[in-house]
Amino acid sequence: MKQKLHPSTLCVQAGYEPANGEPRQMPIIQSTTFKYTTSDEMGRLFDLEASGYFYTRLQNPTNDRVAARLAALEGGVAGMLTSSGQAANFFACFNICEAGDHMITTSAIYGGTYNLFGVTFPKMGIEVTFIDQNASDEEIEAAFRPNTKLLFGETLTNPGVRVLDVERLARIAHKHGVPLIVDNTFPTPVHLRPIEWGADIVTHSTTKYLDGHGTTVGGAIIDSGNFDWEAHADKFPGLTTPDESYHGLTYTKKFGKLAYITKATSQLMRDLGSIQSPQNAFYLNLGIQTLAVRMKHICESAQQIAEFLAAQPSVKWIQYPGLASDPDHALAQKYMPDGTCGVMALGLKGGRDAAIRFMDALRLVTIETHVADCYTCILHPASHTHRQLSDQQLHEAGIDPDLMRLSIGLEDPRDIIEDIKQALAAAGL
Ligand SMILES: *Cc1c(COP(=O)(O)O)cnc(C)c1O
């Protein structure tokens, strides 16, 4: 029987087993194309009749090994890498949802994803309904239509760090014959494996903790292989009826549990070309190898810092699911008993002005449009990423005008707490 490995072991070893004399570290196959001796062999690859590499826009061995490592971590059957998290969420949905279709998403999601679904998808003829992830089953179910193709959510939301009730949303999605797709960027598979709770497809912005060093933009899609497309064949004709661009091959019949990822690779990557470079996949691999140790340190530090902040009279409010007082604490304990992530959201007494004075006084904590890497960093959406919005529009987007997003990195938490103390004092708070 094959030994069941823990996440930290999978981080180091899954997806790549070198044979005798081969490189111990996963090599970068920095090659656009791959050589064949007969025309027939190459032709069979183009017909998806044989498996093998022929052009890196479709598949590359380095990318595939890193994707296999992520699939092992998430407990899925297959994965693919994309050039960014945006491309991952786009492909994950567009693979089964096209012009004339409808999808449902929770509204507390990353701003880029919000824009993709709210602005760009409608331009492509896809209708999108936004729901409150804490709405009742009945309210969520009322959003389903006959042409609904998927339900989407973020397992831990960016920037509010709210916990998605994955098991409940999976149950609702399945009742309506559609898959649940979740963006698992913030907890990472070290802290949450949504497939174990019923999610069907998992996406990542690997730019965040998975890379973890702020070096490479990237994304990933992992398929659980669990969703029964054939049981809802009329809803998913792209998977269950012949693809004329491959001589009438049907993905579910030919590839079984690998149907969804094979279609995403052989159609979407072929036509839309958002592949991750093998060099970036190599950096991503290095990041994943230390993911488990980094997440442990980051969560322990974030817990200390969140508790410190919660006790400051100048802190008006703080959201961090690791705090016992947080409304999502019970959900976090259910889904992420080993810790959530290093991101927290908070507001200071004195609002927007106080936030700006405080941030300008920080020395170790830097102002960055990023989260979830090795540096502790802070962002004020109302002044930065969302600065074009009025206070009213900010409220509608679920962002308080005084919200600051603080992302704890790998520094010693005692040094970060000292920095926060001096900045609060310097800001007169
Ligand atoms: C950053 C982020 C994205 C977008 O990823 P990019 O790699 O920047 O394209 C998507 N989802 C979440 C939760 C994110 O934090």
Side-chain angles (χ1 to χ4, degrees), residues 84-86 89 110 113 154 158 183 185-186 205 207-208 217-218:
S84 67
Q86 285 300 112
N89 283 330
Y110 172 69
T113 316
E154 266 173 31
N158 180 359
D183 181 332
T185 297
F186 270 14
S205 165
T207 319
K208 312 294 165 53
V217 174

Side-chain angles (χ1 to χ4, degrees), residues 211-247:
D211 165 41
H213 297 78
T215 63
T216 42
V217 174
I221 305 173
I222 293 102
D223 183 6
S224 67
N226 291 337
F227 193 81
D228 190 350
W229 310 105
E230 286 282 351
H232 309 281
D234 53 322
K235 272 194 195 290
F236 304 105
L239 287 162
T240 59
T241 61
D243 177 355
E244 293 315 326
S245 68
Y246 286 108
H247 305 302

Side-chain angles (χ1 to χ4, degrees), residues 161-228:
V161 271
R162 297 301 81 206
V163 182
L164 191 75
D165 192 346
V166 179
E167 194 174 27
R168 180 171 83 100
L169 290 196
R171 183 173 25 81
I172 295 172
H174 296 160
K175 188 172 165 193
H176 293 268
V178 305
L180 174 66
I181 303 182
V182 293
D183 181 332
N184 197 34
T185 297
F186 270 14
T188 84
V190 166
H191 282 162
L192 172 61
R193 286 169 298 283
I195 291 171
E196 291 174 2
W197 298 100
D200 301 286
I201 314 284
V202 177
T203 65
H204 282 281
S205 165
T206 62
T207 319
K208 312 294 165 53
Y209 291 116
L210 293 177
D211 165 41
H213 297 78
T215 63
T216 42
V217 174
I221 305 173
I222 293 102
D223 183 6
S224 67
N226 291 337
F227 193 81
D228 190 350

